Amino acid sequence: MIEIYDIDGTLTTSGDTPRQDLIDYIKTDVQDEGVRIFIVSGRAISRLEETEKWLRDNGVPYEQIYLNDFSETPGPNVIEAFKAYKYAKIVEEYGLEEIGYVVDDSAEARSNAEGMGIKAYTAQELLAAEAEHGAEDEEQSAEDRAVYEVPDYIREAARKGLEWHEQGL
């Protein structure tokens, strides 16, 4: 499964400040579920070295990184066109069924992804959905543990075993 993340405003809260809760979520997905992380950012390709250093320094695991190679002075239209193009190329190369979702702070980028059939979230929406999903899993797990009735023959065997243990047998 592939998850696609933006950087600015998604993996960061402002400037270069990491959004640690999202980064921790990504690490867990990679470690526990073998998710493949692709970074698709509107940052200019000339910032590749700086961006890779930031990802390393903040412990963001990723397999692929795509920075904007459409223009060195990108405006919003160029950035969104670049992201849409990369989403389409990823779908073409890996197939829609391999892509879990896109996480991006840009409403236009999310709309473009959804137009291709890819689920899209903001960082806040993804974390809220995962927290809700985790709570449901905990409820289900508690329900599964709470209703088992031990058969009489097992109870009787346990009682006898405790008696014998008390007698030193």
Side-chain angles (χ1 to χ4, degrees):
M1 181 69 57
I2 296 169
E3 295 173 3
I4 302 170
Y5 291 87
D6 176 43
I7 298 174
D8 300 305
T10 302
L11 292 177
T12 65
T13 55
S14 63
D16 277 347
T17 304
R19 185 183 308 268
Q20 196 60 50
D21 52 353
L22 183 60
I23 293 169
D24 291 343
Y25 168 79
I26 292 169
K27 288 177 183 178
T28 299
D29 260 8
V30 168
Q31 179 180 335
D32 295 350
E33 299 179 27
V35 171
R36 301 165 69 189
I37 304 300
F38 287 15
I39 305 294
V40 176
S41 172
R43 289 183 176 193
I45 191 71
S46 61
R47 295 183 64 190
L48 179 62
E49 188 175 313
E50 163 198 347
T51 301
E52 288 180 318
K53 180 181 182 328
W54 185 91
L55 292 166
R56 260 190 326 275
D57 290 350
N58 289 286
V60 179
Y62 67 94
E63 184 175 313
Q64 301 285 333
I65 184 168
Y66 303 100
L67 299 185
N68 185 350
D69 56 1
F70 281 8
S71 172
E72 278 300 312
T73 55
N77 294 338
V78 173
I79 290 171
E80 300 315 326
F82 166 76
K83 288 180 179 180
Y85 172 76
K86 281 301 176 188
Y87 300 159
K89 293 304 262 181
I90 292 169
V91 167
E92 182 181 302
E93 185 171 344
Y94 297 97
L96 188 58
E97 65 282 351
E98 276 299 307
I99 302 171
Y101 46 80
V102 167
V103 183
D104 199 303
D105 64 312
S106 164
E108 189 173 340
R110 292 190 311 275
S111 177
N112 287 337
E114 289 172 346
M116 295 176 205
I118 306 169
K119 288 182 184 177
Y121 302 95
T122 64
Q124 297 88 337
E125 290 169 341
L126 177 66
L127 293 171
E130 287 303 315
E132 186 176 304
H133 180 70
E136 288 172 4
D137 286 349
E138 286 178 25
E139 282 179 28
Q140 183 64 38
S141 180
E143 287 174 15
D144 290 345
R145 288 188 302 243
V147 281
Y148 292 105
E149 186 67 32
V150 177
D152 289 338
Y153 73 93
I154 293 177
R155 289 178 196 221
E156 183 60 24
R159 187 189 60 72
K160 283 183 184 176
L162 289 172
E163 272 181 30
W164 291 345
H165 178 72
E166 287 175 8
Q167 297 171 7
L169 300 173

